[in-house]
Amino acid sequence: MGVPFEALLPYGIMIGMFAFSAVAVGSLREMQNGGKKGRRGLDAWDRVMMERDRRLTGFARGQTDKPFAPPGFEVNNPWRVEERFF
Amino acid sequence: MSARQPRFNQQALIDTTPLPDDIPKVKEIGASSAPLLSASFFIGARCKAFNDDYMMCKTEANGRGELECMKEGRKVTRCAASVIKDINENCLSEFRVHWQCLENHNQQLWNCRSEERRLNKCVFNKLKLEKTIPDTPKGEEQVHLRTRNIFASH
């Protein structure tokens, strides 16, 4: 006495939905990282280096191996502005 | 839409005034994080004297090192840029393979040992710079020379 196939349809739907959301979230993360694997376990050093990468290349995950920075790099470091309080 | 980025908002102010003439001129390093990490031990091998000199100057300046040690700091920058330039001229393909591997593996050196071995070999043959890890315990093999990696996923 086998299980009728109608009993398995909900499982197929559930697995399909889980697979769809996993692929969607994964590819969204890859898109946000410029086609590379995402970074994890970042500390303060990694964050400031990614900010420097953003200043150099225009994108936090962009990389360049040129020995000298493009002109204007030395002055595009922003001053942090103190928030106004009353 | 306008392509102009804001120069001043509630979080940051970007001041594009050129630096005054009393600050010594230097070309900043253009390599980003992964290439710098890949080249770091070679920078250390060639520039150890300049780096130590800068750190000693800062220690002896009693907290005013950022202003008084600019000359030493410029030497550090120029030396590091020269290493990156030499690696780019001599071992560009190995260098790129290594830092792209680092970039795909969360910038963890232990996940890219085979690429690193090829880069180390090329740099040693052409530039005579050898990667040595400072303060390795005596009689212990340096971690990048071990043939067996237990945790590496690549």
Side-chain angles (χ1 to χ4, degrees):
Chain A
M1 213 164 91
V3 183
F5 79 94
E6 288 92 341
L8 301 175
L9 286 181
Y11 291 98
I13 293 172
M14 280 152 65
I15 291 171
M17 290 291 178
F18 274 120
F20 168 74
S21 57
V23 170
V25 169
S27 55
L28 181 67
R29 190 167 152 79
E30 201 177 290
M31 260 155 64
Q32 286 170 336
N33 281 296
K36 292 180 246 182
K37 289 221 190 84
R39 301 287 305 272
R40 59 182 193 276
L42 299 181
D43 60 8
W45 171 260
D46 292 324
R47 280 192 292 273
V48 295
M49 285 307 276
M50 282 168 82
E51 174 62 21
R52 184 176 172 275
D53 293 350
R54 199 188 58 70
R55 281 172 52 211
L56 264 174
T57 63
F59 179 48
R61 293 299 307 275
Q63 299 290 330
T64 161
D65 53 8
K66 293 194 195 80
F68 299 110
F73 173 71
E74 66 273 13
V75 290
N76 75 357
N77 195 15
W79 297 88
R80 309 287 165 207
V81 179
E82 189 173 328
E83 215 163 286
R84 189 169 175 184
F85 60 93
F86 292 99
Chain B
M1 292 297 291
S2 71
R4 210 161 65 103
Q5 297 287 317
R7 293 270 176 88
F8 180 40
N9 55 26
Q10 297 203 349
Q11 282 84 41
L13 162 68
I14 297 176
D15 184 4
T16 54
T17 317
L19 297 176
D21 283 336
D22 57 316
I23 291 182
K25 299 265 185 293
V26 73
K27 275 186 165 176
E28 298 288 338
I29 293 181
S32 57
S33 54
L36 271 182
L37 177 64
S38 169
S40 56
F41 283 91
F42 307 121
I43 295 175
R46 184 182 282 178
C47 308
K48 188 167 189 299
F50 295 113
N51 296 344
D52 287 349
D53 189 35
Y54 179 63
M55 292 317 285
M56 199 175 81
C57 174
K58 272 186 75 158
T59 313
E60 288 171 356
N62 290 327
R64 288 185 48 82
E66 285 79 6
L67 299 169
E68 290 173 4
C69 299
M70 271 185 179
K71 287 236 168 70
E72 286 82 355
R74 296 319 190 217
K75 283 180 199 161
V76 170
T77 308
R78 283 196 199 101
C79 179
S82 80
V83 175
I84 303 239
K85 190 159 165 277
D86 283 353
I87 294 178
N88 268 346
E89 280 165 5
N90 291 300
C91 297
L92 187 59
S93 59
E94 286 90 347
F95 185 45
R96 286 214 167 133
V97 168
H98 185 223
W99 68 251
Q100 277 158 7
C101 170
L102 284 178
E103 185 60 8
N104 256 330
H105 289 92
N106 203 23
Q107 299 200 1
Q108 288 161 328
L109 287 168
W110 43 267
N111 262 329
C112 297
R113 290 292 182 212
S114 64
E115 287 87 352
E116 187 191 319
R117 246 171 249 130
R118 262 171 269 147
L119 175 67
N120 286 353
K121 201 174 153 204
C122 174
V123 171
F124 184 69
N125 286 339
K126 301 225 171 120
L127 302 176
K128 300 283 172 272
L129 295 174
E130 193 179 11
K131 170 173 176 174
T132 47
I133 298 175
D135 296 334
T136 305
K138 251 184 202 158
E140 200 170 293
E141 197 177 22
Q142 300 194 59
V143 70
H144 66 287
L145 297 175
R146 287 181 194 159
T147 48
R148 190 158 165 269
N149 289 317
I150 300 173
F151 291 110
S153 61
H154 170 66

